[in-house]
Amino acid sequence: MEKRLRNAIRHMEKLDLDVLSEEEFELEKENLLIRIDFLHEDMLHNLIGTSALLICTAIAVVTCIAHFEIIYIVLMCLSAALTIGAAKTYIERRKALRQLYTYFDKLIERQILQ
């Protein structure tokens, strides 16, 4: 997934909008919208997973406070680490989505100017 996003962003950076024909322009616009839609769906799945992990972490913290045993402490630390990792992934995808939206805005701006 990360490699595809990097390739898409690299492709959009190299793209010269002034030399594109109308068909190529529409194709690039459609491909960019597909990538944005795919990324939205992936972020939604990630957000659901992160939310579930956050709930598990909260339950583990409460259990750890109620029954101060080593297994609950380990469970709490593990669920917290997984939650942080999932949140980091979501933040990275959000950054990539912002870049794709920036390129989409450039495409629309070019279309308006013509």
Side-chain angles (χ1 to χ4, degrees):
M1 177 71 179
E2 299 299 323
K3 185 176 179 182
R4 274 192 249 158
L5 284 173
R6 279 195 312 265
N7 288 340
I9 291 170
R10 193 174 308 123
H11 171 74
M12 293 306 295
E13 287 173 348
K14 292 180 182 179
L15 195 62
D16 189 7
L17 300 177
D18 297 329
V19 297
L20 290 179
S21 68
E22 193 63 35
E23 296 83 25
E24 291 172 330
F25 176 79
E26 288 299 322
L27 182 64
E28 289 296 332
K29 184 174 149 185
E30 183 179 327
N31 286 338
L32 187 56
L33 284 174
I34 290 170
R35 288 183 183 120
I36 288 172
D37 187 47
F38 178 76
L39 191 55
H40 269 144
E41 187 175 330
D42 184 58
M43 287 176 64
L44 180 63
H45 290 275
N46 185 274
L47 188 60
I48 291 169
T50 303
S51 299
L53 285 171
L54 189 59
I55 291 168
C56 291
T57 301
I59 292 170
V61 167
V62 169
T63 306
C64 184
I65 291 171
H67 308 284
F68 197 72
E69 294 180 21
I70 192 73
I71 189 72
Y72 297 125
I73 295 171
V74 170
L75 178 65
M76 180 186 67
C77 292
L78 179 64
S79 62
L82 290 172
T83 303
I84 291 169
K88 183 181 174 210
T89 301
Y90 181 83
I91 291 169
E92 290 171 356
R93 301 266 163 75
R94 188 178 65 187
K95 181 181 175 185
L97 184 65
R98 284 183 184 160
Q99 287 179 318
L100 291 179
Y101 271 131
T102 301
Y103 297 128
F104 184 74
D105 289 344
K106 288 180 185 178
L107 285 174
I108 296 301
E109 182 180 312
R110 181 216 178 236
Q111 188 176 25
I112 291 172
L113 293 176
Q114 285 187 343

